[in-house]
Amino acid sequence: MSEFHFLRPLWLVALPLAVALPWLLGRWRVSRSTWERSCDPALLRELLVGAGGPGHRAPLLIGSLAGILGCLALAGPTWDQQPEPVYGRLHSRVILFDLSRSMGSGDLPPSRLERARFKLNDLVLGGGDREQALVVFGGDAFVVAPLTDDVDTLVNLIPALDTNTVPIQGSRVDRALALALELLERGRARNAEVILIADGLDPRYRDDGLARAAELASRGHSLQVLCVGTVAGHPVSLSGGGFITDDRGNIVVPGLDRSGLSELASRGGGRYEDMRSDNADVARLNQPRQDVGRGIRDAAHA
């Protein structure tokens, strides 16, 4: 019996009302009777057969008993211990996936995007009991899936991601990080992780991205970075043939901004990983944070 408890104990407050209500309704019906307003009270008792007798009280007893049982059922009696919801929130993470046009580069055959999608799939499948969210970004950031433990739904969304998914071109890592922080705050997550899969930072918004990474770390979260591509880079093919060019007509060869992404991970208090041909990078990113235990203790005393 030591483990017996109610899931919704506030319903027990309604027990007195459940007992009294049928009797109050019974008295109200009698007081509203036309006969009572027309007849002498002594005569009325003789005219009403069984008034006040056992047959009259039986419905009231049944109503009170039904009310008591209903309140007890709504209170949710159980012997099973419920998991603390704060524990689940300590395992949350948001994955940020770069869909800028540079991800179409072929320096990692068949393309950076194709290779990155495989890594994203492995990350989600290896997430264990974590709640995971997926955000894509280019010139702006968009939520593909909010925090959820439905791994199958996340995996089914991955094949549809390409460089045309985001309508605005660019590489606004800062906006992706801001959206990740918003999702974590909305989900009341503690000691969460953000995993960025990208090939670089937009130089115009580099400082904004670094500031967002530092803000993420200041809130108790961490930023892990999986870097996609090679330093030499490769032109980005167009679907109709040819390659992407700049305003002067020169072929764009997007390289890898390793230094920028490495600094981003450092500001975010996390690790930096170069994409590998094996699964060692994903395995390291799927390792639990070492300070999760401390976070659980902190949350228990919050």
Side-chain angles (χ1 to χ4, degrees):
M1 291 294 292
S2 61
E3 295 183 354
F4 178 81
H5 63 284
F6 290 98
L7 297 176
R8 297 171 293 275
L10 286 179
W11 277 103
L12 299 177
V13 177
L15 276 174
L17 182 60
V19 174
L21 187 59
W23 299 89
L24 294 174
L25 289 175
R27 293 191 56 154
W28 179 78
R29 290 185 60 188
V30 172
S31 67
R32 297 291 296 175
S33 170
T34 304
W35 285 97
E36 185 181 54
R37 291 196 300 269
S38 305
C39 297
D40 182 82
L43 179 60
L44 183 63
R45 284 195 297 270
E46 300 298 328
L47 291 174
L48 295 178
V49 178
H56 175 73
R57 291 193 298 269
L60 303 180
L61 292 171
I62 294 174
S64 295
L65 181 60
I68 292 171
L69 293 176
C71 287
L72 291 175
L74 289 170
T78 182
W79 278 265
D80 295 328
Q81 293 294 324
Q82 297 299 308
E84 291 292 336
V86 71
Y87 180 80
R89 293 197 297 270
L90 285 166
H91 286 73
S92 302
R93 74 179 181 186
V94 181
I95 302 175
L96 311 179
F97 194 69
D98 187 356
L99 289 180
S100 58
R101 296 177 74 179
S102 59
M103 291 291 285
S105 175
D107 55 351
L108 295 179
S111 70
R112 293 179 184 177
L113 177 62
E114 290 288 338
R115 295 282 292 273
R117 278 203 298 235
F118 285 121
K119 295 295 183 179
L120 174 59
N121 189 81
D122 292 341
L123 272 171
V124 171
L125 289 176
D129 62 348
R130 296 176 177 92
E131 284 188 330
Q132 303 180 88
L134 178 59
V135 171
V136 296
F137 68 95
D140 204 348
F142 302 90
V143 177
V144 176
L147 286 170
T148 178
D149 57 4
D150 188 350
V151 173
D152 292 337
T153 296
L154 288 171
V155 168
N156 289 334
L157 292 170
I158 293 173
L161 302 179
D162 61 37
T163 53
N164 295 318
T165 301
V166 179
I168 306 172
Q169 290 302 317
S171 187
R172 295 297 300 271
V173 173
D174 58 312
R175 292 190 174 179
L177 290 171
L179 187 52
L181 186 58
E182 180 182 332
L183 288 172
L184 294 174
E185 293 293 314
R186 193 185 307 165
R188 301 180 65 187
R190 299 189 181 205
N191 298 88
E193 289 182 315
V194 175
I195 297 180
L196 171 66
I197 303 176
D199 61 2
L201 297 171
D202 189 324
R204 296 171 296 177
Y205 306 102
R206 180 189 181 97
D207 291 341
D208 294 330
L210 295 174
R212 291 294 185 184
E215 181 183 2
L216 195 73
S218 71
R219 301 288 184 91
H221 310 307
S222 68
L223 174 63
Q224 326 292 344
V225 176
L226 180 60
C227 197
V228 185
T230 62
V231 175
H234 190 276
V236 180
S237 301
L238 296 171
S239 57
F243 301 97
I244 292 178
T245 58
D246 60 19
D247 295 337
R248 298 180 179 180
N250 299 317
I251 295 177
V252 176
V253 182
L256 178 66
D257 186 7
R258 180 175 287 154
S259 63
L261 292 175
S262 178
E263 185 177 359
L264 198 70
S266 178
R267 292 285 186 93
R271 62 169 67 93
Y272 168 92
E273 293 283 346
D274 281 314
M275 181 176 286
R276 297 167 54 98
S277 57
D278 58 19
N279 208 41
D281 47 5
V282 172
R284 281 192 288 269
L285 290 172
N286 273 331
Q287 289 176 353
R289 289 184 60 180
Q290 295 180 354
D291 57 350
V292 166
R294 177 180 58 79
I296 293 173
R297 293 191 296 273
D298 293 344
H301 293 88

